[in-house]
Amino acid sequence: MVMPMPLPPLEVGPPAANGTSAHHQAAKPRRRPLMIAGAAVVVLVLLLVLGVCAAVLAQTPTLTLTPSTVVAGGRVLVTAGKVPANQVGEIQLHSQTYRFPFKATASGAVSRQIVVPADIAVGDHTIEICWDSTCRAHQTLHVVAPGTVVSTPIASPSPTPSAGASPTPGQTPTSNPTPGSSPRPTSQPAPSPTPTRPPSPTPTPKPTPTPAPTITLVSVSALGNTVVVFHYFYAGSATVSVCQSGTCHTGGTFSVAGGADVQLTFKTPAGILPTLPLLTRFAYVTANSLTSTSVSVGA
C-alpha cells in the first residue's frame, strides 16, 4: 500500500495594524499634494487672465472731441491716442455715416479736424475711430441748430474797487486872541485840486491769425488725373499720394504756391481702381501731413 505524501504547511502572515492589509495602505490616495497642485494651477490661470486684461486695456485707443457740442456746419477737432504707429483708417460720424480718413503719427497720435454737415439732424451723434474694418473707440457729439448760442465757460470779472469818498475839510482854524490885540480874520482853506484822469490807452488791434492749412479732394480718375485744392498751404512743396483701401500710391512731389485756394492737377498713380456699376470705390489724398476727405473714383 502506498502512503500519501504530506502537504507542505501553509504560512499565514500576521495581520496589518488597524486591520488593513499592506496592499490597501499602498493604494490609499495622497489627497493633500493634489489639492496644493490644483490651487497653484488656479492661481496661475487667474494671474494670466488678469495680465491679458491689463494688456488689452493698455492698448485701447483714446478719443476726444473739441468741442463736444457744435452747431450744424461747424468744425470739430478729433484727437486720439494709443493708435498703432502710422496706422491708416477712418473717423466715422453717424447716424448717417460720414467718413473722414486719417493717418496716425509714428507715436500713435491722431489729430483731424472735421466739418459737421450743415444738413445733419439736430441731436446726439456718434463719432468713432476705425481701422482694419473694426471701430475701436467712440464719443458722443451734440449737434444744435444753426443760430443756437453754445455756452462756453467765462471767467468771472474781478470786482472793481469803488472810489473812496473825498476827505471832508476840517473846521476853519481860528487864532487865539492875544490880550490887548484885535482878533485876526478867519482864514479860509484853499480848495482841493480836481484830479485829472490820464487818457485811456488805445487798444492795439490783434492781427488776424492765418487759418490752418487744409486740402480738398475735387476728383479722382483711375485712368486720368487727380484734382486737389490746397488752402493756406505755405510749405512751398508737397509730396502727394492717392490712397485706396488702406494702400497709398505716390503721385509725386509738386511745388505749391501759397494762398487761400490753390488747385493742383496731377496724373493719378497706377493701382487706383475705378467704381463699378455695383461697387463704389473710394479714394483720398495725402499731402505731407494733410489728409483730404474721400470721394468716389471715376474711370
Side-chain angles (χ1 to χ4, degrees):
M1 177 180 296
V2 178
M3 296 298 290
M5 295 294 291
L7 297 174
L10 179 63
E11 295 183 2
V12 179
N18 299 329
T20 59
S21 65
H23 176 73
H24 182 71
Q25 287 183 347
K28 185 177 180 180
R30 299 180 179 180
R31 296 182 178 179
R32 191 175 189 85
L34 292 178
M35 292 176 63
I36 294 176
V41 170
V42 171
V43 171
L44 290 176
V45 171
L46 289 177
L47 291 177
L48 180 60
V49 171
L50 291 176
V52 171
C53 293
V56 171
L57 291 176
Q59 295 177 357
T60 301
T62 60
L63 185 64
T64 305
L65 308 180
T66 306
S68 59
T69 301
V70 68
V71 298
R75 295 175 179 265
V76 177
L77 179 62
V78 181
T79 55
K82 299 182 181 179
V83 178
N86 303 315
Q87 178 66 52
V88 176
E90 291 181 337
I91 296 171
Q92 297 184 2
L93 170 62
H94 306 282
S95 300
Q96 180 180 351
T97 303
Y98 299 89
R99 305 175 187 272
F100 305 89
F102 74 85
K103 182 178 181 181
T105 63
S107 61
V110 175
S111 180
R112 177 76 158 89
Q113 189 178 65
I114 67 174
V115 178
V116 179
D119 58 349
I120 196 171
V122 174
D124 291 346
H125 297 264
T126 301
I127 289 184
E128 297 179 313
I129 183 169
C130 314
W131 65 85
D132 293 340
S133 302
T134 303
C135 294
R136 316 288 175 156
H138 67 275
Q139 289 290 348
T140 300
L141 177 67
H142 309 286
V143 179
V144 297
T148 304
V149 178
V150 179
S151 60
T152 55
I154 301 176
S156 301
S158 302
T160 303
S162 58
S166 301
T168 304
Q171 294 181 351
T172 303
T174 56
S175 59
N176 295 326
T178 304
S181 62
S182 302
R184 297 179 182 178
T186 303
S187 61
Q188 299 293 335
S192 301
T194 303
T196 302
R197 298 181 61 183
S200 301
T202 303
T204 303
K206 296 181 179 180
T208 303
T210 302
T214 58
I215 56 176
T216 300
L217 180 57
V218 179
S219 63
V220 177
S221 173
L223 301 178
N225 295 329
T226 297
V227 180
V228 62
V229 177
F230 289 76
H231 308 283
Y232 304 102
F233 184 84
Y234 297 99
S237 63
T239 300
V240 183
S241 300
V242 181
C243 305
Q244 186 179 61
S245 301
T247 303
C248 294
H249 306 271
T250 302
T253 300
F254 305 96
S255 176
V256 181
D261 300 291
V262 178
Q263 179 173 304
L264 173 66
T265 301
F266 61 94
K267 181 71 173 65
T268 302
I272 302 300
L273 302 177
T275 294
L276 300 177
L278 298 180
L279 177 61
T280 302
R281 291 192 172 101
F282 293 90
Y284 61 93
V285 167
T286 63
N288 294 356
S289 61
L290 303 178
T291 305
S292 73
T293 55
S294 298
V295 300
S296 60
V297 180

